[in-house]
Amino acid sequence: MVLNEAAQRLGVSLRQTEDQLMRDMLQSTATFVNAVGGSDGDNPTEISRTDIDFVVRTLRGNNAYSFITGIEGENRFGCAPVRDAYFGLGHTDLIGQLDNINGFIQKWNYPNQQSTLDAEWGSVANLRFLLSSVGSVTPSASAMGANVYNIFCCGRESFAAVEQDGYSAQFIYRPPIYDGPLALNASVGYKFAEVPRILNDQWLLNLRCTLA
Amino acid sequence: MSTPIHAQVAGTFSTSATLAPVAISIPSGYNDIELINLTDIMAVTNTPAAIVKAFGNSSMPNHSAITLSGTGAGYGLNTAANITSGFSFVPDSGNQTPGAATAAGTGITAATPAVITSASTAGVGDIMRVYSTTGMLQIAGWDFTNTTAAGATQTITNLPAGGGVGELAFAAPATSVIARIIPFNPRYYPVTRRITNIGLGVTTTILMNVTHQFTVGQLVRLKIPAQYGTIQLNGLTGTITAIGTALTGSTNTITLNINSVGMTAFTFPTSAVAALGVDVPEVVPVGEAATAPYANFLDDATTNVSATGVLIDTGMLVASKNYSWIARKGQSI
């Protein structure tokens, strides 16, 4: 039972570590654009509809494939159809900022919940936002010294994690006998080797913004 | 609690004629380090006194050590505690958290090179993030490499803000600035860098804000927003044919095989325009040429360059010497 629980926790840790490495690679290497359509007086500004339109226009102009198909409208109160979309991967601190954008559709306003994702917060135009507590933040990087939030707006197959043969994630358990003569402590851990990599730089944009 | 399988790791290195800090990459968990100057440890004419042995512990402040040194014919070892130059245990060299914010400096000159006056402790090669640059908001939020020793001023050789030929001719200096040290490069190489000047011609020379680390043969894409003049280059890719061509007083450049003759000169937007929000010009690494005469070295490979380990300051080292080191960790009981 204890081992099962440890395995579950380590599984979360493993996947979050993979996310953090991917995040750091995208933050280092991707093309970035500053949000300039907001009104908070900083540079970059808070995210706005014009910034999202610019990103979607750029990705579509570069023939980036969208990740998922749209969600067809249904005859229900308070819902709206959702377009086929790219993903915007961001930090949970953006909650509230996104809600204020012109045209924002909350996830629960989608016509049906079949194709929504756990991390999804909502959509604007052709961009669906997935938020995480380990999303990317560049500290003190705005003109006024505020934290800058990086939203990785990506098309399908714009980046990938390359796994080495025979070295994908391994869960390792060593019983207490390996600890010492008295066999007091077991050890549990994981290891993996993979390389995050941008496959097509024109299908990915880092939209940088501050909080209003 | 568990018994470490490798309680001790060791290695050697040699210092070059021009001293630079030495980074030793070791796994996490090691909390003691010992450094031995192999060249001088038994020398009886060790003049001036060189540190021949040093000890550090992860619980000591960064840049500190306990040292042994000796000199002269009556050679004897002297013990000293050194708190300004020594060992720094680094848990993660991918850490991008800026150093402490100092009081606002008095500004940045609109000269070539631009010079910051602030209380920053940045030394040669340190990356500084500058913001609140009143009057020079074109560069607010940018990172720059400092090219002078720690002192009252920091020089940005990569920013030719003066009004000479080919320079940026900023209209006014900054009257305030906060400069914070970024302790390390980003975790992954290669890194997207910002453009601070462009030399036009049969080939195109690009100057960047931070020491770039690109190599000949790599392929990069240029992003030039509308406010920066040379918009004809926006979106073009070019192969790096040379590194370090001097441009407006700096050699932090790459030369691309793009003919930019007749294009609009590179410029920065005014501070007033920047205050309203502007994008930035960039060099984006996208791959490598892998065609003659550039071999397929895979220099563009996405590489995690972060590590755990120990940094050794130059004050602990002597040029052109051989050193060995031993790092230890033990079982806590």
Side-chain angles (χ1 to χ4, degrees):
Chain A
M1 175 65 83
V2 171
L3 194 58
N4 283 340
E5 205 166 285
Q8 287 179 353
R9 297 307 308 154
L10 280 172
V12 173
S13 172
L14 164 66
R15 295 308 176 199
Q16 282 200 338
T17 302
E18 287 180 319
D19 283 351
Q20 287 169 327
L21 290 171
M22 184 66 76
R23 171 201 69 188
D24 288 351
M25 183 278 293
L26 294 174
Q27 187 174 327
S28 299
T29 307
T31 304
F32 54 86
V33 292
N34 279 351
V36 295
S39 57
D40 67 359
D42 208 342
N43 186 27
T45 66
E46 81 272 23
I47 187 171
S48 69
R49 177 60 185 258
T50 55
D51 300 313
I52 293 171
D53 287 344
F54 173 80
V55 167
V56 171
R57 191 162 55 242
T58 303
L59 293 178
R60 191 52 61 99
N62 291 334
N63 301 312
Y65 293 109
S66 54
F67 263 101
I68 42 185
T69 58
I71 303 175
E72 193 174 344
E74 295 185 15
N75 188 17
R76 297 178 176 178
F77 284 109
C79 73
V82 177
R83 305 181 194 184
D84 64 309
Y86 304 111
F87 281 155
L89 313 175
H91 194 280
T92 43
D93 284 358
L94 292 163
I95 291 172
Q97 296 287 306
L98 298 176
D99 303 53
N100 291 331
I101 298 171
N102 182 24
F104 179 74
I105 303 172
Q106 276 284 359
K107 180 170 77 171
W108 56 77
N109 290 128
Y110 291 0
N112 70 64
Q113 302 296 310
Q114 300 290 324
S115 62
T116 60
L117 302 163
D118 284 347
E120 187 163 359
W121 191 248
S123 69
V124 178
N126 294 70
L127 201 56
R128 287 170 70 164
F129 291 92
L130 311 183
L131 306 183
S132 164
S133 61
V134 296
S136 179
V137 183
T138 308
S140 306
S142 79
M144 297 167 66
N147 289 344
V148 170
Y149 291 83
N150 303 297
I151 304 174
F152 303 117
C153 306
C154 48
R156 194 177 355 141
E157 298 179 6
S158 57
F159 63 92
V162 182
E163 294 186 353
Q164 295 188 11
D165 285 348
Y167 212 93
S168 59
Q170 297 174 42
F171 183 82
I172 300 163
Y173 168 71
R174 293 284 178 264
I177 193 64
Y178 288 98
D179 177 56
L182 296 179
L184 292 175
N185 299 290
S187 60
V188 180
Y190 65 78
K191 62 178 181 178
F192 66 95
E194 65 178 38
V195 178
R197 173 73 183 175
I198 292 176
L199 303 178
N200 188 328
D201 69 293
Q202 293 194 293
W203 294 352
L204 174 75
L205 279 177
N206 171 8
L207 176 58
R208 304 169 78 242
C209 64
T210 49
L211 301 181
Chain B
M1 184 178 74
S2 62
T3 305
I5 296 173
H6 301 292
Q8 180 169 296
V9 291
T12 60
F13 64 87
S14 298
T15 50
S16 58
T18 303
L19 273 181
V22 172
I24 298 175
S25 178
I26 55 177
S28 63
Y30 288 82
N31 45 26
D32 280 305
I33 188 163
E34 182 179 328
L35 179 73
I36 302 170
N37 178 339
L38 294 174
T39 310
D40 291 334
I41 185 74
M42 296 304 292
V44 294
T45 54
N46 182 20
T47 305
I51 293 171
V52 292
K53 200 162 189 179
F55 305 91
N57 184 278
S58 58
S59 62
M60 294 163 63
N62 283 342
H63 308 288
S64 65
I66 297 169
T67 59
L68 302 176
S69 61
T71 185
Y75 181 64
L77 291 176
N78 305 306
T79 308
N82 196 335
I83 58 170
T84 57
S85 181
F87 301 107
S88 300
F89 283 75
V90 178
D92 177 12
S93 72
N95 179 13
Q96 292 282 286
T97 305
T102 55
T106 55
I108 308 174
T109 61
T112 301
V115 177
I116 299 173
T117 301
S118 79
S120 171
T121 57
V124 175
D126 282 344
I127 301 171
M128 302 174 298
R129 179 161 298 159
V130 302
Y131 57 85
S132 296
T133 53
T134 308
M136 197 186 277
L137 294 175
Q138 304 96 317
I139 58 164
W142 286 52
D143 292 352
F144 292 102
T145 300
N146 178 33
T147 53
T148 51
T153 61
Q154 301 83 42
T155 303
I156 315 176
T157 305
N158 299 332
L159 185 67
V165 176
E167 297 173 358
L168 301 171
F170 281 13
T175 55
S176 179
V177 59
I178 296 176
R180 298 173 68 175
I181 298 173
I182 305 298
F184 302 104
N185 272 311
R187 191 179 306 284
Y188 280 92
Y189 173 88
V191 180
T192 299
R193 295 298 186 196
R194 302 187 185 195
I195 298 171
T196 52
N197 202 3
I198 296 177
L200 304 177
V202 177
T203 59
T204 301
T205 304
I206 309 289
L207 177 62
M208 283 157 285
N209 60 332
V210 172
T211 303
H212 60 73
Q213 299 177 308
F214 291 122
T215 57
V216 170
Q218 284 186 255
L219 193 70
V220 298
R221 187 185 306 280
L222 302 177
K223 194 195 96 180
I224 314 289
Q227 299 91 341
Y228 292 85
T230 324
I231 56 173
Q232 299 91 336
L233 288 172
N234 186 40
L236 298 185
T237 56
T239 299
I240 301 174
T241 58
I243 299 291
T245 304
L247 179 66
T248 52
S250 176
T251 56
N252 185 40
T253 60
I254 55 175
T255 302
L256 303 178
N257 62 346
I258 298 175
N259 186 338
S260 54
V261 171
M263 291 186 182
T264 312
F266 184 80
T267 185
F268 266 68
T270 63
S271 183
V273 169
L276 301 175
V278 290
D279 205 356
V280 294
E282 302 160 37
V283 175
V284 183
V286 298
E288 66 176 355
T291 55
Y294 310 111
N296 191 359
F297 291 132
L298 298 180
D299 283 352
D300 67 311
T302 303
T303 308
N304 185 337
V305 293
S306 63
T308 59
V310 176
L311 276 176
I312 306 174
D313 295 326
T314 55
M316 298 274 293
L317 304 170
V318 181
S320 305
K321 305 288 185 183
N322 297 321
Y323 286 86
S324 72
W325 58 268
I326 302 169
R328 300 185 186 89
K329 65 179 176 181
Q331 178 178 359
S332 300
I333 56 175

